Amino acid sequence: MKIGELAQVAQCTVETVRYYEKEGLLSAPARTRANHRSYGECHVERLRFIRNCRALDMTHAEIHTLLGLMDQSAADCGGVNQLLDEHIAHVDVRMAELSQLKQQLSELRQRCQSEQTMDACGILQGLASMETGPRHERQTHLG
Amino acid sequence: MKIGELAQVAQCTVETVRYYEKEGLLSAPARTRANHRSYGECHVERLRFIRNCRALDMTHAEIHTLLGLMDQSAADCGGVNQLLDEHIAHVDVRMAELSQLKQQLSELRQRCQSEQTMDACGILQGLASMETGPRHERQTHLG
DNA sequence: GTTGACCCTATAGGAACTTTAGGGTGTGCA
DNA sequence: TGCACACCCTAAAGTTCCTATAGGGTCAAC
């Protein structure tokens, strides 16, 4: 099958498929005489796997690791389990961060209930006077 | 004051200050004879404001809008309130997304409790067989 | 006169793509 | 035969919010 068909069955764009090939997540397929990429069933499976990982917000690095672990088929799946646990921990951290953010934003929003003049607006006053410490390092790759 | 001092009081780096100037968030200050940037109190206030907005994960576009609303001082602060409400909505959306993600990941993790062979690993089986729809457009700028 | 802390500009990198520019291929229809 | 049109190709730039690097200038103290 050609790239457009592959992209369609894997629910992504043609550009994304080519990008994954360049990144080494998807192996380069055979070409037709016209130099068009020609894919088989194993490519479909691999791409579906990658898209599922991405749907779970794994990074390319994580996916790369996972694919590597799978391909050395002798080993047990302890590494897979560990990677997933770490990824779940990332999600937990980000959820906690957002929860705190929501709290701060809600408190700020409380400070202006009606349409004041700019000078009287409690939100702007809050934004001007907040004391945030130095920006903390990002704990996870989840934005 | 010079850029290093400004950066210090606003808890950010010198590079970030120069970057904000290039982005139009912070106005270009006067220069000394040696071509060094020379800032006043109003720059300190503006930069503190920007850093507080960033601490709340607002984008540069949002901050730009907010600064614009503030500078046309005649208007009321309805626009400010609205922007904040929308930003809070972004955070809510992202929290809901992450919550669903956590759920999926936890279910996946359940599928392999011990160190299996690769073929038997329920996590890998799950990742291969999940059916995710087309990747939804990102609803928020919060990763 | 030279060390060191600070300042300057311009450019590249990172993540995971998307978009654009500028072309080639293959099939159906008049 | 000619041509429109959907599809394919590569390479490079743009997105966001910075951070890091290269290669240099300024100023005070010792």
Side-chain angles (χ1 to χ4, degrees):
Chain A
M1 69 176 63
K2 286 196 280 184
I3 196 169
E5 205 181 332
L6 176 65
Q8 199 166 24
V9 303
Q11 305 268 31
C12 67
T13 70
V14 165
E15 288 76 22
T16 300
V17 176
R18 284 197 281 251
Y19 175 64
Y20 287 167
E21 181 182 324
K22 203 167 60 180
E23 291 291 286
L25 289 176
L26 203 56
S27 63
R31 299 284 182 134
T32 66
R33 268 171 312 172
N35 196 32
H36 293 181
R37 289 171 180 81
S38 178
Y39 294 98
E41 199 50 38
C42 66
H43 290 100
V44 175
E45 284 169 26
R46 188 57 59 126
L47 182 53
R48 275 227 179 88
F49 186 94
I50 295 169
R51 293 305 292 172
N52 285 337
C53 291
R54 288 292 301 133
L56 297 173
D57 262 356
M58 292 184 201
T59 62
H60 284 192
E62 286 172 319
I63 299 170
H64 218 95
T65 301
L66 217 42
L67 292 172
L69 287 169
M70 287 167 68
D71 289 346
Q72 49 183 83
S73 53
D76 65 56
C77 70
V80 173
N81 299 5
Q82 192 191 339
L83 191 148
L84 208 70
D85 284 336
E86 285 166 9
H87 185 57
I88 290 173
H90 296 164
V91 176
D92 284 337
V93 166
R94 185 56 180 157
M95 284 176 72
E97 287 173 356
L98 283 183
S99 176
Q100 209 210 327
L101 191 56
K102 171 75 193 278
Q103 171 79 12
Q104 281 185 78
L105 285 167
S106 299
E107 281 170 24
L108 190 58
R109 183 65 184 87
Q110 291 285 318
R111 299 180 57 161
C112 181
Q113 299 296 348
S114 57
E115 298 192 4
Q116 308 286 326
T117 61
M118 287 290 173
D119 284 355
C121 176
I123 292 174
L124 294 178
Q125 287 166 12
L127 283 171
S129 65
M130 272 170 60
E131 281 293 343
T132 52
R135 186 109 166 115
H136 49 290
E137 298 279 311
R138 170 143 291 192
Q139 301 294 321
T140 93
H141 60 82
L142 302 160
Chain B
M1 68 178 63
K2 285 197 280 184
I3 195 169
E5 203 181 334
L6 175 65
Q8 198 166 24
V9 303
Q11 304 268 31
C12 67
T13 69
V14 165
E15 289 75 24
T16 300
V17 176
R18 284 197 281 250
Y19 176 63
Y20 288 167
E21 180 181 323
K22 202 167 63 179
E23 291 292 287
L25 289 176
L26 202 57
S27 63
R31 299 283 182 134
T32 66
R33 267 171 313 172
N35 196 33
H36 293 180
R37 290 171 178 80
S38 179
Y39 295 98
E41 199 50 38
C42 65
H43 289 100
V44 176
E45 284 170 25
R46 186 63 52 130
L47 181 54
R48 276 227 178 88
F49 186 94
I50 295 169
R51 294 305 293 172
N52 284 337
C53 290
R54 288 293 301 132
L56 297 173
D57 261 356
M58 293 183 200
T59 62
H60 283 191
E62 286 173 319
I63 299 170
H64 218 93
T65 301
L66 216 44
L67 293 172
L69 287 169
M70 287 167 68
D71 288 347
Q72 49 183 83
S73 53
D76 64 57
C77 71
V80 173
N81 299 5
Q82 192 191 337
L83 191 148
L84 207 70
D85 284 337
E86 284 166 9
H87 184 58
I88 290 173
H90 295 163
V91 175
D92 284 337
V93 166
R94 186 55 180 156
M95 284 176 73
E97 286 173 356
L98 283 183
S99 176
Q100 209 210 326
L101 191 57
K102 171 75 191 279
Q103 171 79 12
Q104 282 185 78
L105 284 167
S106 298
E107 280 169 24
L108 191 59
R109 183 65 185 86
Q110 290 286 318
R111 300 181 55 162
C112 181
Q113 300 295 349
S114 57
E115 297 190 6
Q116 309 286 327
T117 62
M118 287 289 173
D119 284 355
C121 175
I123 293 174
L124 293 178
Q125 288 166 12
L127 284 171
S129 64
M130 272 172 58
E131 281 293 342
T132 51
R135 185 106 167 118
H136 47 290
E137 298 278 311
R138 172 139 289 194
Q139 302 294 322
T140 93
H141 60 82
L142 302 159

